[in-house]
Amino acid sequence: MITKVLVTGSNGQLAKTIKDLFEKNEDALEFTFVNKKQFDITNTEEIENVFSKNEFHFCVNCAAYTNVEGAEDDEENAFKVNAEAVKNLAEGCKKHDVTLIHISTDYVFDGKANTPYLETDNTNPISVYGKSKLQGEQYIQQIMNNYFIVRTSWLYSYHGKNFLKTIISKAQENADLNIITSQKGTPTNCIDLSAFIYAIITTKSSAYGIYHYTGKGETTWYGFAKQIVKYFNNYDVSKLKPIKSFKTKAERPIYSVLNNSKALQIISKQDTWEESLDQTIKKYFI
Ligand SMILES: NC(=O)C1=CN([C@@H]2O[C@H](COP(=O)(O)OP(=O)(O)OC[C@H]3O[C@@H](n4cnc5c(N)ncnc54)[C@H](OP(=O)(O)O)[C@@H]3O)[C@@H](O)[C@H]2O)C=CC1
Ligand SMILES: Cc1cn([C@H]2C[C@H](O)[C@@H](COP(=O)(O)OP(=O)(O)O[C@H]3O[C@@H](C)C(=O)[C@@H](O)[C@H]3O)O2)c(=O)[nH]c1=O
């Protein structure tokens, strides 16, 4: 039997990575990728239309409002996409018996912990983006049973806009970089997260619920930047400076490392964040 998978937000970095890796596969999975123009998740009629006209077994929701700074002044739209639209998507999935794989974030936590967060730990977001993503998670849990909420952190890839690409372009310009040491978390390669999502689908797991999946280990944003610039020989590393704070509109958790033990029951492979970064920089950037 062919397993049919709808992937939303297909112009985003995660969806593009899933497409690169898995559009062609040998597991009888048929992917349909839809961007915001083709399938706006805030449009309830469109959701009903797509699910009633096509038979999907899974919906991987990569569509989101991800501008953490912008969300502070645009609460309405952040909640519209990350919460209300997710509610409608969950209702559509429930009605049409589609398993929802929804991506969420480490920013649902307040960062007051000092050991890696478990799926069962209390959430307490401190930014509008984090609050809107948590609300989306809560709607899914209230509405349906067949869901996987995958919380991840500090995503990067060859595609789109992300911290890795920002640092690489600065390194190539030999520009000054002042990066904070005051937040700890884990960079996650979209390739690894895509493999986890693929594993959820292909293992036909029915262990629904919340999962944490990130790279292995932890660092600071400064540590992440330091590791990136090592690959660029022409960069004068004395231009990269650790700083204690960086003025932003949104508050970020000072500690947001996620415990991955539960996810490792579905996928056994987990590279350290440094190994994973090494593969992507060598493959795409040098
Ligand atoms: N980036 C990160 O560091 C992290 C991301 N996450 C989560 O992972 C998921 C994927 O993130 P990522 O790939 O980085 O995000 P991107 O910002 O790269 O992609 C999100 C995509 O969603 C689309 N989108 C926005 N609004 C809608 C809408 N109403 N209907 C349909 N599509 C819409 C955007 O389209 P357009 O560009 O046209 O607006 C964009 O293409 C998100 O749920 C995010 O919250 C979790 C942790 C870390
Ligand atoms: C660009 C820059 C950022 N920073 C700091 C600001 C901030 O605290 C931290 C990260 O900045 P960014 O804006 O790149 O990252 P941010 O938007 O906070 O990234 C987050 O995105 C959302 C979508 C998530 O879900 C999170 O997991 C996380 O990846 O680095 C510096 O210290 N120096 C700099 O030059």
Side-chain angles (χ1 to χ4, degrees):
M1 191 193 94
I2 293 180
T3 303
K4 295 188 176 180
V5 186
L6 178 71
V7 182
T8 62
S10 69
N11 286 339
Q13 60 168 342
L14 177 60
K16 281 188 172 171
T17 308
I18 297 173
K19 190 170 187 186
D20 289 348
L21 296 177
F22 299 119
E23 188 174 28
K24 292 195 189 102
N25 65 79
E26 290 172 358
D27 293 301
L29 256 58
E30 185 183 293
F31 284 94
T32 303
F33 292 89
V34 279
N35 63 29
K36 188 169 157 185
K37 238 176 151 184
Q38 297 159 322
F39 185 82
D40 182 336
I41 65 164
T42 64
N43 185 334
T44 317
E45 273 170 37
E46 209 153 68
I47 294 175
E48 175 55 23
N49 199 22
V50 166
F51 286 139
S52 57
K53 288 197 178 136
N54 307 274
E55 194 201 11
F56 288 112
H57 302 98
F58 288 88
C59 171
V60 183
N61 184 31
C62 298
Y65 185 112
T66 56
N67 181 347
V68 178
E69 287 297 286
E72 295 298 308
D73 292 331
D74 193 13
E75 196 165 340
E76 195 181 329
N77 278 316
F79 273 83
K80 192 172 169 196
V81 179
N82 293 342
E84 298 312 313
V86 172
K87 178 180 180 217
N88 296 333
L89 202 56
E91 277 162 354
C93 286
K94 185 182 181 188
K95 180 171 173 196
H96 295 281
D97 201 18
V98 180
T99 299
L100 177 60
I101 302 177
H102 175 75
I103 316 303
S104 193
T105 174
D106 55 331
Y107 284 17
V108 297
F109 294 112
D110 61 17
K112 291 190 180 145
N114 47 28
T115 54
Y117 281 103
L118 288 165
E119 290 80 353
T120 47
D121 282 338
N122 285 339
T123 50
N124 184 29
I126 52 177
S127 62
V128 170
Y129 166 75
K131 286 176 187 159
S132 66
K133 292 293 290 185
L134 178 64
Q135 176 82 73
E137 287 189 6
Q138 289 168 340
Y139 280 140
I140 294 171
Q141 291 170 282
Q142 285 157 17
I143 292 165
M144 61 191 302
N145 296 317
N146 298 10
Y147 67 84
F148 294 88
I149 292 170
V150 181
R151 293 190 189 130
T152 189
S153 63
W154 300 19
L155 276 185
Y156 67 86
S157 75
Y158 165 70
H159 297 290
K161 246 182 79 181
N162 56 65
F163 189 83
L164 168 68
K165 289 177 72 178
T166 305
I167 300 301
I168 289 179
S169 69
K170 297 270 185 197
Q172 284 166 337
E173 294 162 16
N174 209 19
D176 286 317
L177 278 165
N178 298 306
I179 312 285
I180 49 159
T181 52
S182 51
Q183 287 162 19
K184 263 195 192 149
T186 312
T188 303
N189 193 328
C190 282
I191 292 177
D192 297 334
L193 180 60
S194 300
F196 178 57
I197 293 166
Y198 195 81
I200 292 176
I201 299 171
T202 50
T203 57
K204 300 193 163 55
S205 172
S206 55
Y208 305 118
I210 301 180
Y211 287 82
H212 288 173
Y213 192 76
T214 63
K216 186 174 179 180
E218 60 182 62
T219 187
T220 62
W221 289 106
Y222 171 74
F224 188 17
K226 196 172 164 202
Q227 190 70 16
I228 297 167
V229 300
K230 276 185 192 162
Y231 291 86
F232 297 87
N233 295 332
N234 294 331
Y235 185 66
D236 173 3
V237 287
S238 69
K239 290 190 152 190
L240 168 64
K241 295 194 184 70
I243 53 171
K244 288 212 170 70
S245 66
F246 184 86
K247 200 173 172 345
T248 55
K249 280 190 177 158
E251 201 185 336
R252 273 98 169 152
I254 59 169
Y255 181 89
S256 66
V257 180
L258 304 179
N259 181 314
N260 282 227
S261 311
K262 187 177 170 191
L264 295 175
Q265 291 166 16
I266 292 184
I267 192 169
S268 52
K269 184 176 182 295
Q270 190 198 27
D271 289 338
T272 66
W273 70 265
E274 294 96 329
E275 285 162 349
S276 208
L277 178 68
D278 182 73
Q279 287 155 22
T280 279
I281 293 188
K282 286 182 176 155
K283 184 163 178 201
Y284 297 106
F285 296 101
I286 51 176

